[in-house]
Amino acid sequence: SQKIEQNSEALNIQEGKTATLTCNYTNYSPAYLQWYRQDPGRGPVFLLLIRENEKEKRKERLKVTFDTTLKQSLFHITASQPADSATYLCAGNTDKLIFGTGTRLQVFP
Amino acid sequence: EPEVTQTPSHQVTQMGQEVILRCVPISNHLYFYWYRQILGQKVEFLVSFYNNEISEKSEIFDDQFSVERPDGSNFTLKIRSTKLEDSAMYFCASGGIRGNNEQFFGPGTRLTVL
């Protein structure tokens, strides 16, 4: 079945460092991947979308890559801040969005 | 900034009862979605809706579920006879011009089935 897989272990990093989160997809080829932020008890908030023909997309301190050979997307937050602490969800589309379980990021001062 | 709203924020119901979850999507959006998230699990697609009809639904969206856009603003999810396993957060989302592009989620309705 179509799957989006993210590292379920929490990522703990120090403020100011770059956080890198990984998303892998299996058994399908999404036309694009999306990244969302989810805070506890809240709905996902859209961050970035990258299409399969794009290698990289940036928005302020965020950067996303899409490697169709590795079937992988990387999500980077540079100069991370404690306010970036949240769960980050990767989602791939076919005719519907398929979400990964998310990776919890904790940025400590 | 426009946002998706959902009511109620929390709904408690007895098993077997019908519930209706309500959503007001962003006004100029054309694509509407319902998702659910069981506590501690991933966000799961339920159904997408475009041009006044269902465009896609998941295996979760069985005959107990239905969606409606009764007027120009509301988008509802009805669960006819709730089961314990329907307890979850239900998120409504809407999207702009093209389906499955960035989606804007509401704050969710927490459904508790007793």
Side-chain angles (χ1 to χ4, degrees), chain A residues 3-4 32 34 36 38 41-46 49 51 89 93-102, chain B residues 35 37 41-45 48 56-58 89 91 98-108 110:
Chain A
K3 280 187 185 175
I4 293 283
Y32 44 81
Q34 304 186 29
Y36 289 78
Q38 187 175 29
R42 309 289 292 273
V45 175
F46 173 80
L49 178 152
R51 302 182 193 283
L89 310 178
N93 89 299
T94 50
D95 43 10
K96 56 183 183 287
L97 270 187
I98 298 173
F99 280 87
T101 52
Chain B
Y35 295 85
Q37 188 174 33
Q41 297 187 24
K42 63 174 69 174
V43 175
E44 298 176 290
F45 170 82
S48 58
E56 189 67 33
K57 61 183 181 179
S58 73
M89 279 290 277
F91 294 109
R98 285 181 289 174
N100 291 323
N101 274 348
E102 59 180 283
Q103 296 181 18
F104 295 82
F105 283 73
R110 178 170 298 284

Side-chain angles (χ1 to χ4, degrees), chain A residues 96, chain B residues 45-48 54-63:
Chain A
K96 56 183 183 287
Chain B
F45 170 82
L46 291 177
V47 66
S48 58
I54 290 173
S55 47
E56 189 67 33
K57 61 183 181 179
S58 73
E59 57 276 7
I60 302 168
F61 194 89
D62 61 23
D63 292 343

Side-chain angles (χ1 to χ4, degrees), chain B residues 9-10 21 29 43-45 51 54 61 69 79 81 98 104:
Chain B
S9 56
H10 192 187
L21 309 183
H29 283 180
V43 175
E44 298 176 290
F45 170 82
N51 201 26
I54 290 173
F61 194 89
R69 189 155 160 81
I79 309 175
S81 177
R98 285 181 289 174
F104 295 82

